[in-house]
Each structure stands twice: as C-alpha cells, then as structure tokens.
Amino acid sequence: MRHPLKAMLRPLRAALVVAAVAAAGPSPASAQVAFGLNVGPSLTNLSGSLIESSELTAGIYVGATLWWQFSERWAVETGINSVQMGAFSVENADVEGAWDVKTSFLQVPARFLYLIPFANDKWVFAPFLGASYSFNGSCKIREAGSPIFDDECTEDTAFGPASSTDFQYSIGLLLDRVFGSSAFGFDIRYGRGTKDVLLGPGSEGLTSKNTVLDIKFRIVFPHFGDS
C-alpha cells in the first residue's frame, strides 16, 4: 500500500522542481519570477447524477503562488492553495432527508496566462487556463439547517466517505494594477473536478463532481531575476 503522505508530497515536489528550474535555468531577457499571495471567497456546489438537488455554499480560498513570466506575453504560475468546497441541502432519492456537506482541499495548481498590458503598462489583463491536483483534508456532514458540522464523512453517514483526491481543471481571468516590480489585483476562476466526491453506498455508476467559482484578491511581491 502506498503511504498517503508520500502520495500527497509527490505533485508538490514536482511543482517545486518546475519552479526551481524556471528560476535558475536560462531564460529570455524579459523573464521575471515573483512570489504572491491570494485570498478570497469561494462559491461551490456538487453536481452529477448522484445529486438530485443541492444549493451553493460559501467558503474561503487562501493560496501562495510562484509566478514565472517567461516571455513578454506569457506567464506560468504554481503554488499551494487551501479551498473550502461542498454543497448544502444535498438530496438523493435513496438518502433520507437533506444534508449539508463541507470539504476542505489542499491544491497544487498550475496555470498558463496570456498577458495583455494596457494603460501604459500600468494594468495587466490575463485570461488563463489551469489545472490542480487536490488532496481532501477533511469532509464534514450535518442535517441541513443544523447549527454545526459535528460528523465526519464515513461509511456510516448519509453519503458515505469522500474521495481522498481530485483533479480539477479551470478557466479564468486576472486583472492586476502594476507598481514597478510588484502588483495588486484580483482574479476570478471557474473550476470543475473530474473525480467523484461522495463514495457512499448507492453511488456506484453515479457521479458527484466539485464545482467552484472563486474571486481572489492577490498581491505580487517585487520580482527577482532579470527584468
């Protein structure tokens, strides 16, 4: 059996290797490497054939990123994020009642951005495509409307245990106000998971995917490397 900690660290090590190569290896004159922080709200839900009805739930997204601008118009970003997901009032015909599900994922993302500077390069607009490998840190469940989450997702709860990992693809837009070699701005991202989240009895052949929309404020610290 593979050790779960080793499985969690493998993609993080890969992301750090890529970042180290980006920072240390040969690069064009315009290449820049920078460190940033992101924080903001997330709106998430569960969708698929297992989910007959559900409601959006709000959570928090917090992340640290490493940004590498490897040409005038292109940049790549990696890092590590924590994001709350789940759904409220989840119902299925084979499950009695409605249930709130809250999960917490640790993500190792990668995304490619196309940079469009404007207003004398004081602003940068960037559409992006990305993906992330996610590790489920926790899953909690409660009867809809209960004041607190007091049960972990297990074989004995309404929808069973949650998947331990997920792979998510995403699209989004970024807008930064540039101040010399640093920046402040926000980005908006829509993402969808590819693995089923809820794995309880009766879920065989049925799907339950994470979906997330988050809006994050971001700060990018001064670049290091060539400029």
Side-chain angles (χ1 to χ4, degrees):
M1 178 180 294
R2 294 182 178 178
H3 195 286
L5 181 58
K6 291 182 179 179
M8 290 177 66
L9 291 176
R10 189 175 299 113
L12 178 57
R13 287 199 302 266
L16 292 175
V17 169
V18 170
V21 171
S27 58
S30 61
Q32 294 176 330
V33 179
F35 172 76
L37 297 173
N38 300 331
V39 62
S42 61
L43 292 176
T44 68
N45 208 338
L46 291 167
S47 62
S49 54
L50 180 69
I51 312 300
E52 296 189 355
S53 66
S54 63
E55 298 177 1
L56 287 170
T57 180
I60 297 294
Y61 178 112
V62 179
T65 62
L66 190 63
W67 164 291
W68 178 39
Q69 184 179 342
F70 57 89
S71 74
E72 183 180 358
R73 291 286 185 167
W74 290 95
V76 64
E77 196 173 65
T78 186
I80 190 165
N81 308 319
S82 175
V83 58
Q84 295 175 331
M85 296 189 185
F88 280 7
S89 298
V90 180
E91 295 186 48
N92 177 278
D94 296 328
V95 176
E96 183 178 353
W99 299 85
D100 298 338
V101 180
K102 179 75 78 172
T103 56
S104 178
F105 280 87
L106 187 68
Q107 297 182 332
V108 180
R111 62 184 187 180
F112 290 90
L113 306 98
Y114 182 71
L115 310 177
I116 307 172
F118 63 98
N120 295 322
D121 294 339
K122 293 181 179 179
W123 292 85
V124 174
F125 173 77
F128 60 82
L129 295 174
S132 60
Y133 197 84
S134 305
F135 306 98
N136 193 345
S138 68
C139 176
K140 295 188 176 182
I141 189 169
R142 68 183 182 188
E143 291 188 46
S146 296
I148 59 173
F149 285 93
D150 52 6
D151 288 320
E152 298 287 336
C153 302
T154 68
E155 293 285 355
D156 298 324
T157 53
F159 288 97
S163 173
S164 59
T165 61
D166 193 10
F167 182 81
Q168 186 179 87
Y169 59 87
S170 61
I171 60 173
L173 300 170
L174 172 149
L175 181 65
D176 275 351
R177 174 65 167 91
V178 179
F179 300 94
S181 61
S182 61
F184 176 80
F186 72 93
D187 69 51
I188 181 169
R189 176 191 68 149
Y190 172 78
R192 180 173 172 81
T194 60
K195 297 184 67 175
D196 294 320
V197 179
L198 303 176
L199 306 177
S203 64
E204 294 82 1
L206 302 178
T207 58
S208 54
K209 313 292 187 185
N210 273 319
T211 59
V212 58
L213 176 70
D214 51 61
I215 302 174
K216 304 179 292 294
F217 294 98
R218 41 184 275 116
I219 182 169
V220 179
F221 296 101
H223 300 134
F224 56 92
D226 297 331
S227 59

